[in-house]
Each structure stands twice: as structure tokens, then as C-alpha cells.
Amino acid sequence: SKATVSVLYWTVHYIKMMSRMIRAPLARAARWSSTEVRRDLFGYEQSSEVGPWNAKIGKVQYWNDAGELLVEMNRDNCPPDLTTFKAVLASILRCASKYEGGVTEGESKFCAMMDAVEEMEHRNGIKADKECWDFVMQAALEAGDFRAARALAACTEVSQKFVDEAEKLAAAAIKDGKEFPAALTKQAESLFDIEIKAN
């Protein structure tokens, strides 16, 4: 009947239309993939030439400048990769201070590195590897923070030599009666010894 023919016509037409709609983005994606061009969410081409940026990061005198270069990279549509973040971590470890003029109060290489790792993993989707965590571990050891170093050893993959160094720091702290933070040792009595009385 005419009604059946009409339904079949529009069904075939609909299928062809949907097929074209699906094939178009797939074809674009295949074309981009075949040329190995990185693109952002809006389809704009991204540069993968991180080498010059990494070189600049490796020459900074103060580690805050390494962070500023990361911002410039993103602004120039050249997102950092794993090698870039390793260059940042290495610069933080190498530089004497965050800013010109020396170390400021509250400045922490360990915290700066943890911020960089968070940026790398959660914003850029790049997983930190053993070399990255070794940089962080060295910052903790440089600061004499065996507690942070022990936490890293327990939660991440780090080189055994740094684990051994952390244990040496811990043993020395225990010997000197500094196993726990000073703020805890100043308490008059243990929290577990406090008697709780009903009113």
C-alpha cells in the first residue's frame, strides 16, 4: 500500500541521514589520527614541540619561573607532557628558592612538587612514574622529613636507595627522641590517658 511504501521510504532516508552524521566525525577523527596531530576539545591543532619549553624550564633560577612557563605553554596551545613535568620537578629540586632573594617563610619544595604532580595527573591526565616520585622523595629527604618520605615509600614506587635513606633519618630521629612532631611531645598527657567525666 501507499502507506507502507511511505514508511519504508522515510525509514531508509532516516537511516542514510544518521549514517552520514556518524561517518563525518569519525572520518575527521581518523584524518587527525593518521597525521598524528594533537587537537583540543574544540578541534584546534595543538603543538607537541615541548623540547624548547623543557630546555627553558631546565634553565630557570627560581622554581616559580618553571610554573610560569607551564602557564605560557598552555596559553600557546602546547600542553606539557610527562617530560615537561619531569623538567619542572627537576628544577624545583635544583633551584635554591622559589623567588629571587632567598628562601621565604613557609616555602617547601616538597609541597611545590606535590602541587606539580596533582596538576600533571588530575588536570592533564598524565600518570606520574617512578622517576617523578623519586624527585618528590628527594625533596622530602632534603628537608629531613622522614615521615613524608615514609608515606611516599608506602604509597608510590620509589628507588630503594631513597627508602633506605629515609629509614636512616627515622632511626636518627628516634635515637634523638624526635620520632614524633614537637607539638605532640609538648602535650602534658596522652590523648588516650585523658579521663572523660560526665557532668
Side-chain angles (χ1 to χ4, degrees):
S1 66
K2 291 183 178 180
T4 302
V5 172
S6 179
V7 170
L8 288 174
Y9 170 80
W10 285 110
T11 300
V12 172
H13 179 71
Y14 177 76
I15 292 173
K16 288 182 177 179
M17 181 181 67
M18 293 301 296
S19 178
R20 286 195 297 270
M21 291 176 63
I22 293 172
R23 283 200 305 268
L26 288 177
R28 286 195 298 270
R31 185 168 63 253
W32 294 344
S33 176
S34 63
T35 56
E36 296 183 355
V37 174
R38 294 195 300 177
R39 295 182 183 273
D40 60 20
L41 292 174
F42 303 100
Y44 292 103
E45 184 176 337
Q46 292 179 318
S47 171
S48 58
E49 296 296 325
V50 299
W53 291 100
N54 293 355
K56 288 181 181 180
I57 291 171
K59 295 177 181 178
V60 298
Q61 290 184 285
Y62 311 101
W63 82 64
N64 186 68
D65 294 337
E68 293 297 329
L69 285 169
L70 281 182
V71 174
E72 287 186 31
M73 287 182 73
N74 284 303
R75 191 164 53 226
D76 287 356
N77 219 10
C78 181
D81 65 6
L82 181 60
T83 64
T84 305
F85 280 103
K86 286 182 180 180
V88 171
L89 294 172
S91 291
I92 295 173
L93 187 63
R94 172 181 54 80
C95 293
S97 60
K98 183 176 182 179
Y99 301 109
E100 183 179 3
V103 178
T104 57
E105 184 178 356
E107 191 173 291
S108 169
K109 291 186 177 183
F110 175 78
C111 291
M113 287 192 185
M114 291 301 293
D115 286 342
V117 171
E118 183 179 10
E119 173 84 3
M120 174 172 62
E121 294 196 328
H122 297 286
R123 181 173 178 180
N124 292 270
I126 303 171
K127 184 174 177 58
D129 62 10
K130 183 178 179 179
E131 187 177 359
C132 293
W133 289 117
D134 276 352
F135 282 124
V136 184
M137 187 74 162
Q138 289 177 78
L141 294 172
E142 185 179 289
D145 191 347
F146 69 88
R147 300 179 191 88
R150 275 180 160 180
L152 283 172
C155 301
T156 65
E157 183 183 5
V158 293
S159 296
Q160 185 60 42
K161 63 180 180 180
F162 297 130
V163 177
D164 295 340
E165 189 173 342
E167 290 307 312
K168 288 180 181 179
L169 286 176
I174 293 171
K175 184 178 179 180
D176 295 338
K178 299 178 181 179
E179 181 179 7
F180 303 103
L184 293 180
T185 59
K186 290 179 181 178
Q187 291 185 358
E189 56 184 332
S190 170
L191 292 175
F192 299 102
D193 295 332
I194 297 176
E195 183 179 356
I196 301 176
K197 298 180 180 180
N199 292 330

